[in-house]
Amino acid sequence: MILSETSTDKSLPSNSQHPHDDRSAHPHHHDEESMRRLVNRLSRIEGHVRGIKTMVQENRPCPEVLVQVAAVRGALDRVARIILDEHLTECIARAAKEGNIDTEIEELKAALDRFLP
């Protein structure tokens, strides 16, 4: 099995800052329990990705590796769905109350343009 280490994925920001860090938009405060659940999910995904790396290093059959990649992709999609749901119910709702819904929707559209294929 040969996997390329180069990537042209432009979905990740060039820095690790949150998009709101460089402006005075609303603060992003999320429920601690929700954040804990998301971090736990991401930690499990991280471990799963390490397992896939080991499979590649052990030259495991490609179909086995692809099944695991599909599982990680599904897990990431579920995390994205949770984040989007919380953004809509918390951040968008807060922006509507504060009167800056247009800015928040434009930021969401820009993020979705990068997120969706």
Side-chain angles (χ1 to χ4, degrees), residues 38 41-42 45 69-85 112 114-117:
L38 277 173
R41 281 178 178 261
L42 289 167
I45 292 168
V69 168
V72 167
R73 183 182 292 160
L76 280 171
D77 286 344
R78 286 186 292 280
V79 166
R81 174 62 192 236
I82 292 167
I83 291 170
L84 178 59
D85 182 60
L112 288 173
R114 294 185 67 124
F115 177 74
L116 298 173

